[in-house]
Amino acid sequence: MHIRVVDSHTGGEPTRLVLSGGPDLGAGSVRERRERWRADFDAVRSAIVNEPRGSDAIVGALLCEPADATCHFGAIFFNNVGYLGMCGHGTIGVVATLAYLGRIRPGEVRIETPVGAVSAELHGNGDVTVRNVPSFRYRADVEIPGHRGVTGDIAWGGNWFFQVRGKSPIELSMGNLDELTAFTWRIRQALREAGVAGADGGEIDHIELFSEPVNRAAHSRNFVLCPGRSYDRSPCGTGTSAKMACLYADGKLKPGERWVQESITGSTFEGRIEVVNGEIVPFIRGSAFVTAEAELVIDERDPFRWGIPAE
Ligand code: PYC
């Protein structure tokens, strides 16, 4: 089996775009095809993103035909442990890669994802602005079971987030990655054990901490724990969407106002929201760079051909 991929990174967070050789998922919406992939071909997901070909940080994106006639492409995002709803840094990576391959020109491109259609504008300088799915705060100021006094908001930005309120008790610096990972993982476990979930019963699998930014041009710095225990090197597009929905709900961000989110690595996304028919629509601007073009080889004789499972 040979799988053609192009790798990129968006603010330090890698995206591996699968162009051909992926599983045959048949017809149906991108959401239905994601479920078919999960049920019948999950080993291929692991082979693409897990070691020895990948790493815990890589988010994969399978490029496919859209079922939604208003879209140009479909994309299914996946990671070291499973599948995502949407992925902001991944969409920026997909669009920058399509531009690198000469498949799109500056202008708008619409992409069907498992949680709805998003659009992206490719700017003349290579930046990409993603118009994400509508985002919202589901519950405010929820106390984390077993963590007295630590509260947070549950919000949707294309994935479910628990965003811890106030300043992170651990400094958001690269030297503290182990501590930050352990702390946010404990929060995720506590929420899971207590049955605290998203509005649709979906697992809250992204946990986010905030502090003052280091870069004076930014409004906030974050640390985002991803579902497979790796951290987001970028400011997280879906997390920034969820954050802006919470800020709007608190009266701290107005439609059209800029919100610059800095990641733990120092990379930034520029965000804003619009309110359309009563829904909060986030826009996220960032840039991505292609890092490799490759053909993954899955050799029948290789005992690790389907990757080393991350969990
Ligand atoms: O940018 O939305 C994002 C994202 C989700 C997980 C990793 N990055």
Side-chain angles (χ1 to χ4, degrees), residues 4 6 22 33-34 37 49 52 61 69 79 83 111 139 150 168 179 195 197 223 226 243 254 262 299:
R4 187 168 165 234
V6 177
R33 278 177 276 162
R34 179 188 68 178
W37 189 354
V49 289
N79 61 20
Y83 301 83
I111 301 174
R139 291 177 63 191
V150 186
S168 167
E179 231 187 310
F223 171 86
C226 295
K243 172 73 178 173
K254 294 189 185 64
E262 177 185 66
D299 184 332

Side-chain angles (χ1 to χ4, degrees), residues 43-284:
V44 183
R45 171 195 59 76
S46 172
I48 295 168
V49 289
N50 280 331
E51 292 179 15
R53 293 178 198 81
S55 80
D56 283 350
I58 293 186
V59 170
L62 177 77
L63 194 68
C64 53
E65 284 297 316
D68 178 340
T70 69
C71 292
H72 304 94
F73 300 97
I76 301 174
F77 296 104
F78 53 99
N79 61 20
N80 54 343
V81 292
Y83 301 83
L84 291 164
M86 227 304 273
C87 183
H89 94 268
T91 303
I92 295 170
V94 167
V95 172
T97 299
L98 291 171
Y100 168 85
L101 294 170
R103 291 182 61 173
I104 58 169
R105 299 178 59 76
E108 201 198 50
V109 59
R110 271 177 70 78
I111 301 174
E112 181 182 347
T113 79
V115 293
V118 300
S119 61
E121 186 182 349
L122 173 65
H123 300 277
N125 70 352
D127 280 9
V128 177
T129 298
V130 178
R131 183 191 206 266
N132 195 8
V133 293
S135 300
F136 61 95
R137 179 163 71 187
Y138 168 50
R139 291 177 63 191
D141 225 1
V142 176
E143 186 158 292
I144 303 165
H147 290 66
R148 268 197 31 210
V150 186
T151 67
D153 294 342
I154 299 172
W156 173 256
N159 297 300
W160 283 110
F161 286 81
F162 189 90
Q163 303 193 319
V164 177
R165 285 213 160 195
K167 187 175 172 200
S168 167
I170 304 163
E171 191 199 337
L172 301 191
S173 66
M174 294 295 282
N176 289 339
L177 284 177
D178 287 348
E179 231 187 310
L180 290 163
T181 301
F183 179 61
T184 46
W185 189 253
R186 281 198 300 275
I187 293 175
R188 173 161 173 205
Q189 300 285 83
L191 296 171
R192 184 194 291 191
E193 279 159 23
V196 180
D200 57 1
E203 184 170 1
I204 301 166
D205 53 7
H206 292 74
I207 312 295
E208 194 164 350
L209 304 172
F210 298 94
S211 75
E212 292 300 313
V214 171
N215 177 346
R216 282 162 182 263
H219 296 96
S220 158
R221 186 176 179 89
N222 69 8
F223 171 86
V224 184
L225 181 78
C226 295
R229 217 172 190 275
S230 97
Y231 70 96
D232 197 334
R233 279 71 172 158
S234 86
C236 193
T238 52
T240 302
S241 299
K243 172 73 178 173
M244 292 193 296
C246 293
L247 288 165
Y248 175 74
D250 284 334
K252 293 181 176 162
L253 186 73
K254 294 189 185 64
E257 230 174 272
R258 277 172 80 242
W259 179 262
V260 180
Q261 186 65 59
E262 177 185 66
S263 73
I264 183 105
T265 65
S267 56
T268 55
F269 283 162
E270 186 176 315
R272 66 183 166 84
I273 54 158
E274 281 179 15
V275 179
V276 182
N277 298 328
E279 293 188 311
I280 303 162
V281 179
F283 292 79
I284 305 288

